[in-house]
Amino acid sequence: MHETSLIGEMIRMVEAELAEVGAHGRVTEVALRLEPLACASAESLRFAYELLTPGTVLEGAALAIEQEAPGARCRTCGRRVEEARLGQSCAACGSEDVSFEGGGEVIVERIEIETEDARLSGQGSD
Amino acid sequence: MEIVMAKSIMNANNRIAERNRDRLAEAGVFTANMCGSPGAGKTALLEGLLPKLNGRLRTAVIEGDLATARDAERIEAAGTRSIQINTEGGCHLDAGMVAQALEAIGLDALDMVFVENVGNLVCTAGFALGEHLRIVVLSCTEGDDKVEKYPPMFRNADVVVLNKVDLLPHVRFDVSRVERELNQLKPGLPMLRVSATGGEGLDDLADWLVARRAAWKNSAVTS
């Protein structure tokens, strides 16, 4: 449910970024990256995005979400455990001393803007 | 045209949290953010713990809930200064709300503030409030699968307090499973066992908190 506050903050960040770089033009896409332990659901983020973006600079822009898979490493034999689950032992040596890796941040990676020039050249090629 | 931002969405909250942390450090007020499910026993833990800290630390409590001042009233009834934040539907406290509450409660003549967050094992995990210590209260009646199901909450903890241990003989709860999964998520994370209503473990928790505050004070003086 805190996904609504995350999307609200994302809209403020994108507005601030556009003002800072002095960019004009329609935003066509905004890309988010969820680190493995980010406590946010992609589905809820999309729902909040549909709800909150109308009337903002992100109205009509696509939302791209990249979800990083969790990883882990065995502290006994040093091997990487793929598709890690908490409580799981190391498949190679059986040790329970497995360490989970990865952060918990939600990162605003980039925005795509359709500039005036791009629109004009797009029209020109029709 | 592509604009690369690569910025954490939590930056704005984190900046306010840093300001809170600095302000609290200046005032010498050690602050704990208490998280956990609704019904884990966060308020009951404070009711049991605060009398144990009497005469050792001067404490106050900030209570966070969607609605009602019920928890703040319980804390006041137990003899500790308390104020209530109502989030009006918000599922977590944020650093801005806590900044206002700190203003209202006043930091003079205080050694420690407990912030009892909204009961929630998900949304509270990502929002730093400016605390020096994150306490996650887990009760054995919730089941032993909570670490696996809600890893961000436990990854961000500095200590786990396992509550309602007097009920362990009556519920299906494998303490070693929780310990194993906590070790995989955050090696060295301490877990203290208490019964908030029965009193078991509360003296040890009070000693632990007094020691943590002293260590924090010392590190602030030397840095």
Side-chain angles (χ1 to χ4, degrees):
Chain A
M1 209 178 115
H2 67 300
E3 282 83 354
T4 46
S5 31
L6 296 183
I7 292 295
E9 180 57 25
M10 183 191 78
I11 294 169
R12 280 190 290 279
M13 285 170 71
V14 169
E15 281 171 346
E17 185 78 19
L18 290 173
E20 198 182 312
V21 302
H24 302 286
R26 200 173 71 85
V27 180
T28 55
E29 185 183 271
V30 56
L32 286 182
R33 178 165 58 86
L34 310 185
E35 291 185 343
L37 293 180
C39 41
S41 115
E43 198 187 335
S44 302
L45 288 169
R46 289 191 187 286
F47 179 72
Y49 187 83
E50 293 306 317
L51 212 65
L52 297 180
T53 49
T56 74
V57 293
L58 287 172
E59 178 163 359
L63 173 66
I65 298 178
E66 180 201 348
Q67 170 83 62
E68 287 183 12
R73 189 169 296 281
C74 175
R75 282 193 287 249
T76 304
C77 72
R79 282 193 184 79
R80 206 177 145 68
V81 182
E82 299 300 335
E83 290 178 30
R85 250 193 65 214
L86 265 185
Q88 205 179 27
S89 306
C90 171
C93 75
S95 167
E96 284 182 352
D97 197 10
V98 172
S99 161
F100 266 67
E101 296 167 339
E105 299 281 350
V106 177
I107 314 280
V108 185
E109 283 289 8
R110 59 189 161 72
I111 44 182
E112 289 282 347
I113 297 174
E114 184 186 57
T115 58
E116 199 65 25
D117 293 349
R119 263 216 304 280
L120 289 175
S121 65
Q123 279 169 0
S125 66
D126 278 345
Chain B
M1 180 174 80
E2 184 189 77
I3 301 177
V4 176
M5 290 181 63
K7 286 177 186 157
S8 167
I9 227 164
M10 302 311 299
N11 280 355
N13 182 71
N14 287 343
R15 272 197 297 275
I16 303 171
E18 270 316 309
R19 277 208 298 274
N20 289 349
R21 196 169 287 127
D22 289 348
R23 184 156 167 253
L24 289 160
E26 223 166 87
V29 180
F30 188 56
T31 299
N33 175 6
M34 285 179 68
C35 298
S37 309
K42 296 182 293 302
T43 312
L45 181 63
L46 287 171
E47 286 172 317
L49 179 67
L50 292 169
K52 305 275 184 193
L53 293 171
N54 254 346
R56 304 175 76 184
L57 295 176
R58 296 164 298 174
T59 57
V61 177
I62 296 171
E63 286 287 347
D65 280 297
L66 271 68
T68 81
R70 206 171 285 262
D71 283 358
E73 286 160 12
R74 281 172 64 183
I75 298 298
E76 291 271 351
T80 302
R81 186 144 53 107
S82 176
I83 62 165
Q84 182 83 43
I85 301 173
N86 278 150
T87 60
E88 313 288 347
C91 48
H92 58 87
L93 293 178
D94 65 35
M97 297 175 195
V98 171
Q100 285 180 14
L102 291 173
E103 203 69 55
I105 207 160
L107 298 178
D108 293 344
L110 279 182
D111 300 312
M112 182 162 184
V113 167
F114 291 90
V115 183
E116 186 186 331
N117 216 317
V118 178
N120 187 321
L121 272 184
V122 185
C123 311
T124 52
F127 291 82
L129 306 178
E131 72 270 23
H132 309 103
L133 183 77
R134 180 91 58 106
I135 302 172
V136 176
V137 182
L138 172 69
S139 61
C140 62
T141 48
E142 293 166 59
D144 56 14
D145 56 359
K146 292 297 167 288
V147 181
E148 185 188 356
K149 283 180 165 173
Y150 304 94
M153 173 57 69
F154 293 93
R155 165 65 72 85
N156 293 335
D158 297 306
V159 59
V160 174
V161 175
L162 181 61
N163 191 21
K164 309 186 190 179
V165 290
D166 51 323
L167 299 180
L168 274 173
H170 310 290
V171 293
R172 251 194 332 208
F173 190 94
D174 180 358
V175 178
S176 68
R177 175 184 178 185
V178 170
E179 286 173 330
R180 184 168 65 243
E181 292 176 0
L182 286 177
N183 180 56
Q184 293 187 347
L185 201 56
K186 189 166 187 177
L189 179 65
M191 183 166 82
L192 301 176
R193 305 177 189 203
V194 305
S195 166
T197 53
E200 189 183 338
L202 290 179
D203 286 314
D204 288 343
L205 177 59
D207 289 346
W208 190 89
L209 287 169
V210 169
R212 275 299 285 249
R213 181 183 181 272
W216 170 78
K217 260 295 224 193
N218 286 335
S219 70
V221 169
T222 51
S223 67

